[in-house]
Amino acid sequence: MKKTEETIVCSEYERRERRRSQIYSVLPFVSVALLLILWFAASSAEGSNFPSPKDIADRFTLFLQKPIKNLSLMGHIWASLQRVFIALGVSWLIGISFGVLIGWNKKANALLGPMFTAFRSVPPLAWVPLVTMWFGTGEFPKILIVFVGALMPVVVNTEAGIANVQKLYLDVGSIFNANQRQMLFEIAIPSSLDAIFAGIRTSTSAGWMVVLAAEMLGGKSGVGFLITRGMDSGDYSLCLLSMICIGLVGALLAVIIQVLERIILPWTAKKSS
């Protein structure tokens, strides 16, 4: 009798999980459908200048026929991505190194921690006037602004991960007479990989958002430049087309980072499941 009850409970649980899985698989399509309904409603309202899906399709076709600044839409997206990739690579290298330094070394944290805390309180876009004044409006200022925006999450997460390594792990290292280098590189850093990758994930989305703002200030290529051009010329279809590209590329970057995380840190996938 007891065995039969356990079987019934298990079957009910499986049915509930199956229904939940089916609901989760349908919800993304419901979300997209709601978004399209809102879009049609906003564009078809009386006196509305909001571009309709047909306007976006027509603008996309026109973009294929007449590139802007001799660049196709993909060319502008690639120009933005190049700035982001360069800034992310440098910010990850410097950010992880600096985060490990202030998270592991108490003297370094006492010396540099307050300076970094004050530095990270300044929004990346607040640096735009100073960076523009120092370096003009070329490529380097744009990459520098993205670097500033992407650096903070990496440092904060790395520092937190290193500083919060479980004492049990360090005690085990002490028992086996591990030196400081082994404690750092073989215990602390591997234990902090989850936090470090969380910082990388956050910095990627932050960098993509900041590059758009940087390109809206004196750029000649990139999706941020397209939005500025659309605003200045009253071409709202171009603005919305650029925004759609921004959303799609941002989602694609998030997926790529998630896949990389599951490859490099396979245990995170087991935790999430």
Side-chain angles (χ1 to χ4, degrees):
M1 183 66 183
K2 185 178 179 181
K3 187 174 181 179
T4 304
E5 288 177 352
E6 288 177 354
T7 303
I8 292 173
V9 170
C10 182
S11 299
E12 179 65 24
Y13 173 78
E14 287 178 349
R15 283 197 293 272
R16 195 164 56 242
E17 287 298 310
R18 193 178 299 116
R19 284 197 297 272
R20 183 180 300 174
S21 175
Q22 290 171 346
I23 291 172
Y24 286 159
S25 63
V26 170
L27 283 179
F29 297 100
V30 174
S31 174
V32 172
L34 286 174
L35 182 62
L36 290 175
I37 291 172
L38 288 174
W39 188 0
F40 276 109
S43 61
S44 60
E46 187 176 355
S48 173
N49 293 323
F50 198 84
S52 66
K54 182 179 181 303
D55 295 333
I56 299 303
D58 292 342
R59 190 65 186 85
F60 178 72
T61 304
L62 180 62
F63 207 140
L64 294 177
Q65 297 169 350
K66 295 182 179 179
I68 297 176
K69 295 285 184 183
N70 296 321
L71 281 177
S72 65
L73 183 58
M74 284 303 300
H76 284 282
I77 292 174
W78 177 240
S80 297
L81 284 174
Q82 282 180 304
R83 294 167 185 137
V84 172
F85 289 155
I86 294 172
L88 285 179
V90 179
S91 67
W92 292 349
L93 180 65
I94 296 177
I96 292 174
S97 302
F98 185 71
V100 169
L101 176 66
I102 62 175
W104 184 252
N105 191 308
K106 292 183 178 179
K107 290 181 181 177
N109 191 13
L111 178 65
L112 303 173
M115 191 188 310
F116 173 73
T117 301
F119 182 73
R120 74 178 173 132
S121 301
V122 180
L125 297 185
W127 290 95
V128 170
L130 288 179
V131 171
T132 304
M133 183 179 68
W134 287 340
F135 303 106
T137 57
E139 280 298 307
F140 178 72
K142 295 179 179 61
I143 295 173
L144 181 59
I145 292 170
V146 179
F147 164 77
V148 173
L151 179 69
M152 306 304 167
V154 181
V155 176
V156 170
N157 281 273
T158 303
E159 188 266 341
I162 293 290
N164 293 315
V165 173
Q166 292 188 27
K167 188 174 180 299
L168 175 64
Y169 297 160
L170 300 177
D171 290 342
V172 172
S174 300
I175 291 172
F176 285 96
N177 295 321
N179 56 36
Q180 282 296 307
R181 190 191 63 78
Q182 291 172 321
M183 296 277 268
L184 175 61
F185 288 98
E186 297 181 18
I187 297 178
I189 292 179
S191 301
S192 308
L193 286 178
D194 284 352
I196 293 172
F197 227 95
I200 288 175
R201 200 166 51 238
T202 306
S203 74
T204 303
S205 59
W208 181 239
M209 288 188 288
V210 172
V211 75
L212 302 176
E215 289 172 349
M216 293 172 76
L217 301 170
K220 293 183 179 178
S221 63
V223 283
F225 160 74
L226 293 179
I227 291 179
T228 305
R229 185 184 177 100
M231 289 170 55
D232 294 341
S233 60
D235 189 350
Y236 299 114
S237 297
L238 178 61
C239 293
L240 189 54
L241 176 62
S242 304
M243 291 170 64
I244 292 171
C245 294
I246 291 167
L248 293 176
V249 173
L252 181 62
L253 287 175
V255 170
I256 291 173
I257 292 296
Q258 191 175 21
V259 171
L260 285 176
E261 184 177 10
R262 292 190 175 192
I263 293 174
I264 298 173
L265 310 176
W267 55 88
T268 57
K270 293 180 180 177
K271 285 181 182 177
S272 60
S273 62

